[in-house]
Amino acid sequence: MKMKIAVLPGDGIGPEIIAEGVKVLEAVAERFGHEVTFNEALVGAAAIDAVGNPYPDETHELCMNSDAVLFGAVGHPRFDKDPNAKVRPEQGLLAMRKQLGLYANLRPVETFDQLIDKSPLRPELIQGVDFMCVRELTGGLYFGRPQGRSEDGNTAYDTCVYSREEIERVVRVAYEYAMKRRKKLTVVDKANILATSRLWREVAQEIAPEFPEVKTEFLFVDNAAMRMIQWPKDFDVLVTENMFGDILTDEGSVLTGSMGLLPSASIGLHTSVFEPIHGSWPEAAGKQIANPLATILSVAMLFEYAFKLTDEGTCIRQAVKKSLDAGVCTPDLLGSDGKKFKTRDVGDWIVSQIKN
Ligand SMILES: NC(=O)c1ccc[n+]([C@@H]2O[C@H](COP(=O)([O-])OP(=O)(O)OC[C@H]3O[C@@H](n4cnc5c(N)ncnc54)[C@H](O)[C@@H]3O)[C@@H](O)[C@H]2O)c1
């Protein structure tokens, strides 16, 4: 198969982890006889520095004309420390999501047996955790307008907006995944307080009868956050709005043992984007200590979701499991006694497994 992949490394650890993702993608393509073309483009702070725009038109054009996008992370302390910065790296991420119509972000949370002791939770609580969080990605507080400050600068406001159509399409995606999995859907909202959440609940209740085999439950987000720690194995598929999903999946990463382990796929109207859920971890940039597994597992999702190539995805997952079995890990996954591998060493080791 011919594949055109847009590569957007971004900022901080982005270039280091993406280099490993690209290596793995190339190795799998070679093994399974696919022809891949990579085209790199600017995003985030790197794009602001180069052309003054965190999501330049050329980057968008490249994404639109590619079969899939492999994305690293954006964000730089220079902007995080300046609340008055007019242009910010994260605006590039939001613009990409909006312009590509990426309304559903699929975030699988699975624990690895080899890493059970890395989680702060007791092993019996997390062994076998396997759920999928479907996060709405182009609406809610992150996009609602008006947003800003009063003239005197002493009051700030954000607006949370959701339309019936925006909720319906992402809830349907979640039901479809629930049908393919253990047929349970948890709709997470704050319907006791928020008008948008009440619309979410109403729409989900309307759609539920179309999927009679799926058991639907509704949870307030505060309760969901608690349940994720208390009984994480109870979840199968969760669906929720943008900000709740952002926060809950970071919590989910703690179950697995590291932020460096969770991949994601953003799907919608145009080209899909595959990216780790973590950020640009600027303190680690250039040190080769970032875990590349979230990115490498995002490449597995890229094969499975963008090209429907499941054997290729399985090949990557098996190589990742072998690396964990062999203790070929970055420092986040090792105790003080283990040998620490660099980001590129982990990538090289996984590539060698794929080639064998
Ligand atoms: N999708 C994105 O591009 C995205 C997402 C979140 C945050 N950000 C941006 O990233 C910057 C840093 O934000 P932050 O510190 O809140 O989040 P972060 O995810 O970058 O880092 C938080 C912590 O997670 C751990 N971590 C992250 N990536 C890891 C990896 N690959 N391997 C091992 N451990 C890892 C580290 O302990 C780190 O201190 C900010 O500018 C923020 O806006 C970008």
Side-chain angles (χ1 to χ4, degrees), residues 11 13 17 71-77 79-80 89-90 93 97 107 135 246 250 253 258-261 275-284 289-295 330-333:
D11 309 318
I13 58 170
I17 51 167
F71 183 94
V74 294
H76 192 284
F79 299 93
D80 294 339
E90 292 76 10
L93 183 61
R97 289 171 177 170
R107 297 185 160 193
R135 168 188 171 194
D246 191 359
D250 267 28
S253 80
S258 171
M259 265 296 259
L261 286 173
E275 54 175 316
I277 78 153
H278 60 72
S280 61
W281 193 14
E283 301 81 6
I289 56 170
N291 191 338
L293 293 187
T295 310
T330 42
D332 52 309
L333 296 181

mmCIF file of all heavy atoms in Angstrom, residues 11 13 17 71-77 79-80 89-90 93 97 107 135 246 250 253 258-261 275-284 289-295 330-333, ligand 1:
data_model
loop_
_atom_site.group_PDB
_atom_site.id
_atom_site.type_symbol
_atom_site.label_atom_id
_atom_site.label_comp_id
_atom_site.label_asym_id
_atom_site.label_seq_id
_atom_site.Cartn_x
_atom_site.Cartn_y
_atom_site.Cartn_z
ATOM 1 N N ASP A 11 7.358 20.777 19.474
ATOM 2 C CA ASP A 11 8.320 21.401 20.401
ATOM 3 C C ASP A 11 8.813 20.414 21.472
ATOM 4 O O ASP A 11 8.278 19.322 21.623
ATOM 5 C CB ASP A 11 7.633 22.566 21.119
ATOM 6 C CG ASP A 11 6.958 23.516 20.149
ATOM 7 O OD1 ASP A 11 7.566 23.815 19.104
ATOM 8 O OD2 ASP A 11 5.815 23.941 20.428
ATOM 9 N N ILE A 13 10.138 17.739 23.698
ATOM 10 C CA ILE A 13 10.529 16.354 23.391
ATOM 11 C C ILE A 13 9.927 15.877 22.070
ATOM 12 O O ILE A 13 10.252 14.769 21.619
ATOM 13 C CB ILE A 13 10.113 15.374 24.523
ATOM 14 C CG1 ILE A 13 8.595 15.440 24.766
ATOM 15 C CG2 ILE A 13 10.889 15.643 25.792
ATOM 16 C CD1 ILE A 13 8.068 14.342 25.699
ATOM 17 N N ILE A 17 10.746 12.072 20.240
ATOM 18 C CA ILE A 17 9.821 10.925 20.265
ATOM 19 C C ILE A 17 9.313 10.629 18.850
ATOM 20 O O ILE A 17 9.125 9.477 18.479
ATOM 21 C CB ILE A 17 8.642 11.163 21.241
ATOM 22 C CG1 ILE A 17 7.986 12.520 20.972
ATOM 23 C CG2 ILE A 17 9.098 11.051 22.692
ATOM 24 C CD1 ILE A 17 6.657 12.720 21.635
ATOM 25 N N PHE A 71 1.856 13.281 14.951
ATOM 26 C CA PHE A 71 2.055 14.554 15.651
ATOM 27 C C PHE A 71 2.790 14.312 16.966
ATOM 28 O O PHE A 71 2.476 13.363 17.690
ATOM 29 C CB PHE A 71 0.655 15.151 15.908
ATOM 30 C CG PHE A 71 0.641 16.492 16.564
ATOM 31 C CD1 PHE A 71 0.576 17.651 15.804
ATOM 32 C CD2 PHE A 71 0.666 16.609 17.947
ATOM 33 C CE1 PHE A 71 0.556 18.900 16.405
ATOM 34 C CE2 PHE A 71 0.647 17.857 18.561
ATOM 35 C CZ PHE A 71 0.585 19.009 17.786
ATOM 36 N N GLY A 72 3.750 15.182 17.304
ATOM 37 C CA GLY A 72 4.497 15.037 18.562
ATOM 38 C C GLY A 72 3.792 15.756 19.700
ATOM 39 O O GLY A 72 2.854 15.256 20.309
ATOM 40 N N ALA A 73 4.214 16.979 19.985
ATOM 41 C CA ALA A 73 3.580 17.780 21.034
ATOM 42 C C ALA A 73 3.992 19.235 20.821
ATOM 43 O O ALA A 73 5.027 19.501 20.197
ATOM 44 C CB ALA A 73 4.049 17.313 22.410
ATOM 45 N N VAL A 74 3.185 20.147 21.358
ATOM 46 C CA VAL A 74 3.557 21.561 21.264
ATOM 47 C C VAL A 74 3.571 22.170 22.663
ATOM 48 O O VAL A 74 2.966 21.645 23.587
ATOM 49 C CB VAL A 74 2.584 22.367 20.363
ATOM 50 C CG1 VAL A 74 2.677 21.898 18.925
ATOM 51 C CG2 VAL A 74 1.158 22.303 20.879
ATOM 52 N N GLY A 75 4.253 23.309 22.786
ATOM 53 C CA GLY A 75 4.284 24.017 24.058
ATOM 54 C C GLY A 75 5.703 24.359 24.448
ATOM 55 O O GLY A 75 6.625 23.545 24.287
ATOM 56 N N HIS A 76 5.878 25.599 24.932
ATOM 57 C CA HIS A 76 7.210 26.064 25.329
ATOM 58 C C HIS A 76 7.051 26.963 26.550
ATOM 59 O O HIS A 76 6.123 27.781 26.604
ATOM 60 C CB HIS A 76 7.842 26.854 24.164
ATOM 61 C CG HIS A 76 9.291 27.116 24.368
ATOM 62 N ND1 HIS A 76 9.753 28.079 25.232
ATOM 63 C CD2 HIS A 76 10.385 26.517 23.839
ATOM 64 C CE1 HIS A 76 11.069 28.074 25.221
ATOM 65 N NE2 HIS A 76 11.478 27.131 24.388
ATOM 66 N N PRO A 77 7.967 26.833 27.544
ATOM 67 C CA PRO A 77 7.846 27.626 28.773
ATOM 68 C C PRO A 77 7.810 29.138 28.519
ATOM 69 O O PRO A 77 7.218 29.887 29.302
ATOM 70 C CB PRO A 77 9.104 27.264 29.566
ATOM 71 C CG PRO A 77 9.711 26.094 28.914
ATOM 72 C CD PRO A 77 9.112 25.911 27.561
ATOM 73 N N PHE A 79 6.132 30.703 26.510
ATOM 74 C CA PHE A 79 4.726 31.115 26.374
ATOM 75 C C PHE A 79 3.945 30.785 27.648
ATOM 76 O O PHE A 79 3.066 31.531 28.058
ATOM 77 C CB PHE A 79 4.092 30.426 25.167
ATOM 78 C CG PHE A 79 4.770 30.786 23.874
ATOM 79 C CD1 PHE A 79 5.796 30.007 23.365
ATOM 80 C CD2 PHE A 79 4.403 31.933 23.179
ATOM 81 C CE1 PHE A 79 6.439 30.351 22.191
ATOM 82 C CE2 PHE A 79 5.041 32.282 22.002
ATOM 83 C CZ PHE A 79 6.068 31.487 21.503
ATOM 84 N N ASP A 80 4.270 29.632 28.275
ATOM 85 C CA ASP A 80 3.562 29.246 29.506
ATOM 86 C C ASP A 80 3.764 30.305 30.588
ATOM 87 O O ASP A 80 2.883 30.552 31.403
ATOM 88 C CB ASP A 80 4.082 27.893 30.034
ATOM 89 C CG ASP A 80 3.753 26.740 29.082
ATOM 90 O OD1 ASP A 80 2.824 26.901 28.277
ATOM 91 O OD2 ASP A 80 4.437 25.705 29.149
ATOM 92 N N PRO A 89 1.677 28.491 21.263
ATOM 93 C CA PRO A 89 1.844 27.226 20.536
ATOM 94 C C PRO A 89 0.574 26.383 20.512
ATOM 95 O O PRO A 89 0.223 25.768 19.503
ATOM 96 C CB PRO A 89 2.949 26.512 21.311
ATOM 97 C CG PRO A 89 3.662 27.572 22.072
ATOM 98 C CD PRO A 89 2.700 28.682 22.307
ATOM 99 N N GLU A 90 -0.140 26.346 21.670
ATOM 100 C CA GLU A 90 -1.323 25.490 21.766
ATOM 101 C C GLU A 90 -2.429 25.925 20.803
ATOM 102 O O GLU A 90 -3.291 25.135 20.427
ATOM 103 C CB GLU A 90 -1.866 25.484 23.207
ATOM 104 C CG GLU A 90 -0.957 24.789 24.221
ATOM 105 C CD GLU A 90 0.271 25.613 24.622
ATOM 106 O OE1 GLU A 90 0.348 26.817 24.270
ATOM 107 O OE2 GLU A 90 1.161 25.042 25.283
ATOM 108 N N LEU A 93 -2.317 23.702 17.908
ATOM 109 C CA LEU A 93 -2.953 22.398 18.111
ATOM 110 C C LEU A 93 -4.474 22.518 17.937
ATOM 111 O O LEU A 93 -5.117 21.709 17.259
ATOM 112 C CB LEU A 93 -2.602 21.917 19.522
ATOM 113 C CG LEU A 93 -3.066 20.558 19.964
ATOM 114 C CD1 LEU A 93 -2.478 19.480 19.079
ATOM 115 C CD2 LEU A 93 -2.643 20.310 21.420
ATOM 116 N N ARG A 97 -6.904 20.837 15.041
ATOM 117 C CA ARG A 97 -8.071 20.007 15.366
ATOM 118 C C ARG A 97 -9.327 20.552 14.708
ATOM 119 O O ARG A 97 -10.125 19.814 14.145
ATOM 120 C CB ARG A 97 -8.252 19.935 16.885
ATOM 121 C CG ARG A 97 -7.172 19.099 17.540
ATOM 122 C CD ARG A 97 -7.197 19.180 19.050
ATOM 123 N NE ARG A 97 -6.177 18.307 19.625
ATOM 124 C CZ ARG A 97 -5.824 18.290 20.890
ATOM 125 N NH1 ARG A 97 -6.399 19.125 21.750
ATOM 126 N NH2 ARG A 97 -4.908 17.453 21.328
ATOM 127 N N ARG A 107 -8.731 7.566 23.155
ATOM 128 C CA ARG A 107 -7.589 7.364 24.053
ATOM 129 C C ARG A 107 -7.725 6.041 24.796
ATOM 130 O O ARG A 107 -8.407 5.973 25.829
ATOM 131 C CB ARG A 107 -7.503 8.524 25.053
ATOM 132 C CG ARG A 107 -7.262 9.847 24.369
ATOM 133 C CD ARG A 107 -7.056 10.971 25.343
ATOM 134 N NE ARG A 107 -6.370 12.079 24.689
ATOM 135 C CZ ARG A 107 -5.819 13.110 25.314
ATOM 136 N NH1 ARG A 107 -5.877 13.186 26.625
ATOM 137 N NH2 ARG A 107 -5.219 14.068 24.644
ATOM 138 N N ARG A 135 -12.951 11.326 23.782
ATOM 139 C CA ARG A 135 -13.016 12.727 24.210
ATOM 140 C C ARG A 135 -13.465 13.593 23.035
ATOM 141 O O ARG A 135 -12.878 13.489 21.947
ATOM 142 C CB ARG A 135 -11.607 13.140 24.667
ATOM 143 C CG ARG A 135 -11.420 14.620 24.870
ATOM 144 C CD ARG A 135 -9.945 14.945 25.118
ATOM 145 N NE ARG A 135 -9.731 16.377 25.094
ATOM 146 C CZ ARG A 135 -8.541 16.967 25.017
ATOM 147 N NH1 ARG A 135 -7.442 16.223 24.986
ATOM 148 N NH2 ARG A 135 -8.441 18.274 24.977
ATOM 149 N N ASP A 246 -9.841 15.678 28.680
ATOM 150 C CA ASP A 246 -8.435 16.067 28.799
ATOM 151 C C ASP A 246 -7.915 15.670 30.183
ATOM 152 O O ASP A 246 -6.876 15.014 30.340
ATOM 153 C CB ASP A 246 -8.347 17.598 28.598
ATOM 154 C CG ASP A 246 -6.925 18.089 28.443
ATOM 155 O OD1 ASP A 246 -6.007 17.270 28.517
ATOM 156 O OD2 ASP A 246 -6.744 19.308 28.257
ATOM 157 N N ASP A 250 -5.449 12.142 31.595
ATOM 158 C CA ASP A 250 -4.173 12.282 32.318
ATOM 159 C C ASP A 250 -4.230 11.429 33.583
ATOM 160 O O ASP A 250 -3.253 10.770 33.953
ATOM 161 C CB ASP A 250 -3.915 13.747 32.715
ATOM 162 C CG ASP A 250 -3.079 14.485 31.670
ATOM 163 O OD1 ASP A 250 -3.156 14.105 30.480
ATOM 164 O OD2 ASP A 250 -2.353 15.430 32.030
ATOM 165 N N SER A 253 -3.573 7.926 32.715
ATOM 166 C CA SER A 253 -2.176 7.558 32.451
ATOM 167 C C SER A 253 -1.473 7.114 33.738
ATOM 168 O O SER A 253 -0.556 6.309 33.702
ATOM 169 C CB SER A 253 -1.428 8.723 31.806
ATOM 170 O OG SER A 253 -1.042 9.669 32.774
ATOM 171 N N SER A 258 2.895 5.552 33.583
ATOM 172 C CA SER A 258 3.655 6.691 33.055
ATOM 173 C C SER A 258 2.849 7.446 32.012
ATOM 174 O O SER A 258 2.103 6.850 31.224
ATOM 175 C CB SER A 258 4.958 6.224 32.419
ATOM 176 O OG SER A 258 5.584 7.299 31.730
ATOM 177 N N MET A 259 3.063 8.756 31.996
ATOM 178 C CA MET A 259 2.473 9.590 30.945
ATOM 179 C C MET A 259 3.019 9.214 29.576
ATOM 180 O O MET A 259 2.440 9.513 28.553
ATOM 181 C CB MET A 259 2.840 11.062 31.195
ATOM 182 C CG MET A 259 1.810 11.857 31.943
ATOM 183 S SD MET A 259 0.288 12.016 31.025
ATOM 184 C CE MET A 259 0.476 13.671 30.403
ATOM 185 N N GLY A 260 4.181 8.585 29.594
ATOM 186 C CA GLY A 260 4.833 8.250 28.327
ATOM 187 C C GLY A 260 4.295 7.006 27.664
ATOM 188 O O GLY A 260 4.913 6.485 26.728
ATOM 189 N N LEU A 261 3.142 6.512 28.129
ATOM 190 C CA LEU A 261 2.631 5.245 27.590
ATOM 191 C C LEU A 261 1.332 5.368 26.798
ATOM 192 O O LEU A 261 0.944 4.427 26.119
ATOM 193 C CB LEU A 261 2.370 4.266 28.747
ATOM 194 C CG LEU A 261 3.593 3.629 29.409
ATOM 195 C CD1 LEU A 261 3.158 2.849 30.626
ATOM 196 C CD2 LEU A 261 4.314 2.724 28.428
ATOM 197 N N GLU A 275 -1.188 10.793 17.885
ATOM 198 C CA GLU A 275 -0.278 11.542 18.770
ATOM 199 C C GLU A 275 -0.314 10.977 20.177
ATOM 200 O O GLU A 275 -1.338 10.461 20.630
ATOM 201 C CB GLU A 275 -0.699 13.016 18.828
ATOM 202 C CG GLU A 275 -2.139 13.206 19.215
ATOM 203 C CD GLU A 275 -2.569 14.666 19.405
ATOM 204 O OE1 GLU A 275 -1.815 15.427 20.030
ATOM 205 O OE2 GLU A 275 -3.667 15.010 18.960
ATOM 206 N N PRO A 276 0.825 11.074 20.913
ATOM 207 C CA PRO A 276 0.797 10.702 22.327
ATOM 208 C C PRO A 276 -0.087 11.687 23.086
ATOM 209 O O PRO A 276 -0.265 12.821 22.629
ATOM 210 C CB PRO A 276 2.263 10.855 22.745
ATOM 211 C CG PRO A 276 2.846 11.842 21.786
ATOM 212 C CD PRO A 276 2.122 11.632 20.488
ATOM 213 N N ILE A 277 -0.618 11.272 24.244
ATOM 214 C CA ILE A 277 -1.497 12.216 24.958
ATOM 215 C C ILE A 277 -0.694 13.234 25.769
ATOM 216 O O ILE A 277 -1.219 14.240 26.210
ATOM 217 C CB ILE A 277 -2.545 11.527 25.870
ATOM 218 C CG1 ILE A 277 -1.929 11.045 27.191
ATOM 219 C CG2 ILE A 277 -3.284 10.422 25.178
ATOM 220 C CD1 ILE A 277 -2.951 10.988 28.311
ATOM 221 N N HIS A 278 0.608 12.953 25.972
ATOM 222 C CA HIS A 278 1.375 13.874 26.805
ATOM 223 C C HIS A 278 1.771 15.139 26.042
ATOM 224 O O HIS A 278 1.598 15.232 24.827
ATOM 225 C CB HIS A 278 2.616 13.178 27.370
ATOM 226 C CG HIS A 278 3.556 12.660 26.322
ATOM 227 N ND1 HIS A 278 4.332 13.474 25.556
ATOM 228 C CD2 HIS A 278 3.836 11.380 25.929
ATOM 229 C CE1 HIS A 278 5.071 12.736 24.735
ATOM 230 N NE2 HIS A 278 4.779 11.467 24.926
ATOM 231 N N GLY A 279 2.331 16.096 26.794
ATOM 232 C CA GLY A 279 2.742 17.361 26.198
ATOM 233 C C GLY A 279 4.209 17.363 25.805
ATOM 234 O O GLY A 279 4.834 16.298 25.646
ATOM 235 N N SER A 280 4.783 18.563 25.705
ATOM 236 C CA SER A 280 6.135 18.708 25.147
ATOM 237 C C SER A 280 7.238 18.568 26.201
ATOM 238 O O SER A 280 8.402 18.688 25.866
ATOM 239 C CB SER A 280 6.255 20.065 24.457
ATOM 240 O OG SER A 280 6.040 21.090 25.410
ATOM 241 N N TRP A 281 6.879 18.362 27.456
ATOM 242 C CA TRP A 281 7.808 18.147 28.579
ATOM 243 C C TRP A 281 9.128 18.889 28.326
ATOM 244 O O TRP A 281 10.188 18.275 28.157
ATOM 245 C CB TRP A 281 8.054 16.655 28.785
ATOM 246 C CG TRP A 281 8.731 16.299 30.079
ATOM 247 C CD1 TRP A 281 8.910 17.092 31.174
ATOM 248 C CD2 TRP A 281 9.333 15.033 30.402
ATOM 249 N NE1 TRP A 281 9.567 16.396 32.157
ATOM 250 C CE2 TRP A 281 9.840 15.133 31.715
ATOM 251 C CE3 TRP A 281 9.478 13.818 29.716
ATOM 252 C CZ2 TRP A 281 10.475 14.084 32.347
ATOM 253 C CZ3 TRP A 281 10.122 12.775 30.346
ATOM 254 C CH2 TRP A 281 10.613 12.907 31.649
ATOM 255 N N PRO A 282 9.083 20.218 28.347
ATOM 256 C CA PRO A 282 10.247 21.018 27.924
ATOM 257 C C PRO A 282 11.511 20.743 28.728
ATOM 258 O O PRO A 282 12.618 20.793 28.182
ATOM 259 C CB PRO A 282 9.788 22.470 28.145
ATOM 260 C CG PRO A 282 8.309 22.418 28.266
ATOM 261 C CD PRO A 282 7.946 21.053 28.752
ATOM 262 N N GLU A 283 11.347 20.396 30.019
ATOM 263 C CA GLU A 283 12.530 20.163 30.869
ATOM 264 C C GLU A 283 13.347 18.980 30.358
ATOM 265 O O GLU A 283 14.543 18.874 30.653
ATOM 266 C CB GLU A 283 12.100 19.880 32.329
ATOM 267 C CG GLU A 283 11.298 20.981 33.004
ATOM 268 C CD GLU A 283 9.806 20.961 32.640
ATOM 269 O OE1 GLU A 283 9.367 20.018 31.941
ATOM 270 O OE2 GLU A 283 9.096 21.909 33.026
ATOM 271 N N ALA A 284 12.710 18.086 29.615
ATOM 272 C CA ALA A 284 13.407 16.873 29.155
ATOM 273 C C ALA A 284 13.939 17.013 27.730
ATOM 274 O O ALA A 284 14.649 16.124 27.255
ATOM 275 C CB ALA A 284 12.448 15.682 29.224
ATOM 276 N N ILE A 289 15.529 11.317 27.403
ATOM 277 C CA ILE A 289 14.970 10.545 28.529
ATOM 278 C C ILE A 289 13.468 10.320 28.357
ATOM 279 O O ILE A 289 12.842 9.608 29.124
ATOM 280 C CB ILE A 289 15.227 11.225 29.892
ATOM 281 C CG1 ILE A 289 14.680 12.671 29.906
ATOM 282 C CG2 ILE A 289 16.695 11.196 30.259
ATOM 283 C CD1 ILE A 289 14.679 13.322 31.287
ATOM 284 N N ALA A 290 12.853 10.976 27.347
ATOM 285 C CA ALA A 290 11.403 10.831 27.160
ATOM 286 C C ALA A 290 11.077 9.426 26.667
ATOM 287 O O ALA A 290 11.795 8.865 25.839
ATOM 288 C CB ALA A 290 10.909 11.860 26.143
ATOM 289 N N ASN A 291 10.010 8.884 27.189
ATOM 290 C CA ASN A 291 9.555 7.564 26.769
ATOM 291 C C ASN A 291 8.912 7.669 25.383
ATOM 292 O O ASN A 291 7.947 8.421 25.215
ATOM 293 C CB ASN A 291 8.532 7.069 27.810
ATOM 294 C CG ASN A 291 8.183 5.618 27.623
ATOM 295 O OD1 ASN A 291 8.347 5.066 26.544
ATOM 296 N ND2 ASN A 291 7.706 5.012 28.683
ATOM 297 N N PRO A 292 9.397 6.907 24.412
ATOM 298 C CA PRO A 292 8.806 7.011 23.082
ATOM 299 C C PRO A 292 7.612 6.077 22.867
ATOM 300 O O PRO A 292 7.036 6.055 21.778
ATOM 301 C CB PRO A 292 9.974 6.594 22.167
ATOM 302 C CG PRO A 292 10.727 5.593 22.979
ATOM 303 C CD PRO A 292 10.569 5.999 24.429
ATOM 304 N N LEU A 293 7.239 5.295 23.897
ATOM 305 C CA LEU A 293 6.227 4.257 23.664
ATOM 306 C C LEU A 293 4.843 4.815 23.327
ATOM 307 O O LEU A 293 4.118 4.245 22.516
ATOM 308 C CB LEU A 293 6.132 3.309 24.876
ATOM 309 C CG LEU A 293 7.363 2.434 25.128
ATOM 310 C CD1 LEU A 293 7.083 1.421 26.229
ATOM 311 C CD2 LEU A 293 7.815 1.705 23.864
ATOM 312 N N ALA A 294 4.474 5.956 23.930
ATOM 313 C CA ALA A 294 3.159 6.539 23.594
ATOM 314 C C ALA A 294 3.103 6.881 22.099
ATOM 315 O O ALA A 294 2.089 6.680 21.437
ATOM 316 C CB ALA A 294 2.902 7.788 24.438
ATOM 317 N N THR A 295 4.225 7.373 21.571
ATOM 318 C CA THR A 295 4.282 7.715 20.145
ATOM 319 C C THR A 295 4.303 6.454 19.293
ATOM 320 O O THR A 295 3.605 6.365 18.276
ATOM 321 C CB THR A 295 5.546 8.558 19.856
ATOM 322 O OG1 THR A 295 5.590 9.631 20.790
ATOM 323 C CG2 THR A 295 5.523 9.110 18.449
ATOM 324 N N THR A 330 12.896 3.597 29.252
ATOM 325 C CA THR A 330 13.397 4.914 29.658
ATOM 326 C C THR A 330 13.246 5.050 31.188
ATOM 327 O O THR A 330 12.535 4.262 31.811
ATOM 328 C CB THR A 330 12.604 6.007 28.914
ATOM 329 O OG1 THR A 330 11.232 5.646 28.902
ATOM 330 C CG2 THR A 330 13.124 6.180 27.497
ATOM 331 N N PRO A 331 13.884 6.076 31.786
ATOM 332 C CA PRO A 331 13.943 6.158 33.256
ATOM 333 C C PRO A 331 12.573 6.190 33.952
ATOM 334 O O PRO A 331 12.458 5.726 35.099
ATOM 335 C CB PRO A 331 14.684 7.483 33.498
ATOM 336 C CG PRO A 331 15.428 7.758 32.242
ATOM 337 C CD PRO A 331 14.680 7.124 31.131
ATOM 338 N N ASP A 332 11.535 6.715 33.294
ATOM 339 C CA ASP A 332 10.221 6.807 33.950
ATOM 340 C C ASP A 332 9.677 5.438 34.341
ATOM 341 O O ASP A 332 8.829 5.342 35.233
ATOM 342 C CB ASP A 332 9.207 7.517 33.041
ATOM 343 C CG ASP A 332 9.147 6.910 31.652
ATOM 344 O OD1 ASP A 332 10.211 6.761 31.034
ATOM 345 O OD2 ASP A 332 8.036 6.580 31.199
ATOM 346 N N LEU A 333 10.153 4.360 33.689
ATOM 347 C CA LEU A 333 9.605 3.031 33.964
ATOM 348 C C LEU A 333 10.540 2.148 34.774
ATOM 349 O O LEU A 333 10.254 0.980 34.988
ATOM 350 C CB LEU A 333 9.272 2.315 32.643
ATOM 351 C CG LEU A 333 8.180 2.962 31.794
ATOM 352 C CD1 LEU A 333 7.937 2.149 30.536
ATOM 353 C CD2 LEU A 333 6.886 3.086 32.586
HETATM 354 N N1 LIG B 1 -0.860 17.662 22.901
HETATM 355 C C1 LIG B 1 0.013 18.566 23.247
HETATM 356 O O1 LIG B 1 0.778 19.062 22.433
HETATM 357 C C2 LIG B 1 0.081 19.016 24.683
HETATM 358 C C3 LIG B 1 -0.619 18.337 25.692
HETATM 359 C C4 LIG B 1 -0.431 18.741 27.013
HETATM 360 C C5 LIG B 1 0.400 19.786 27.311
HETATM 361 N N2 LIG B 1 1.037 20.446 26.293
HETATM 362 C C6 LIG B 1 2.029 21.527 26.559
HETATM 363 O O2 LIG B 1 3.238 20.886 27.016
HETATM 364 C C7 LIG B 1 3.940 21.766 27.898
HETATM 365 C C8 LIG B 1 4.251 21.028 29.203
HETATM 366 O O3 LIG B 1 3.030 20.734 29.859
HETATM 367 P P1 LIG B 1 2.885 19.761 31.108
HETATM 368 O O4 LIG B 1 4.171 19.771 31.883
HETATM 369 O O5 LIG B 1 1.632 20.089 31.796
HETATM 370 O O6 LIG B 1 2.628 18.317 30.476
HETATM 371 P P2 LIG B 1 3.610 17.210 29.877
HETATM 372 O O7 LIG B 1 2.756 16.088 29.428
HETATM 373 O O8 LIG B 1 4.519 17.800 28.876
HETATM 374 O O9 LIG B 1 4.488 16.718 31.120
HETATM 375 C C9 LIG B 1 3.924 16.377 32.370
HETATM 376 C C10 LIG B 1 4.777 15.283 33.015
HETATM 377 O O10 LIG B 1 4.477 14.040 32.383
HETATM 378 C C11 LIG B 1 5.669 13.253 32.277
HETATM 379 N N3 LIG B 1 5.889 12.968 30.835
HETATM 380 C C12 LIG B 1 5.365 13.635 29.761
HETATM 381 N N4 LIG B 1 5.766 13.066 28.616
HETATM 382 C C13 LIG B 1 6.542 12.005 28.960
HETATM 383 C C14 LIG B 1 7.259 11.011 28.232
HETATM 384 N N5 LIG B 1 7.236 10.933 26.877
HETATM 385 N N6 LIG B 1 7.967 10.079 28.924
HETATM 386 C C15 LIG B 1 7.995 10.093 30.263
HETATM 387 N N7 LIG B 1 7.334 10.994 31.018
HETATM 388 C C16 LIG B 1 6.612 11.936 30.374
HETATM 389 C C17 LIG B 1 6.793 14.055 32.890
HETATM 390 O O11 LIG B 1 6.946 13.615 34.219
HETATM 391 C C18 LIG B 1 6.281 15.474 32.873
HETATM 392 O O12 LIG B 1 6.807 16.231 33.908
HETATM 393 C C19 LIG B 1 3.044 22.990 28.083
HETATM 394 O O13 LIG B 1 3.502 23.996 27.249
HETATM 395 C C20 LIG B 1 1.665 22.496 27.657
HETATM 396 O O14 LIG B 1 0.842 23.517 27.158
HETATM 397 C C21 LIG B 1 0.914 20.071 25.007
#
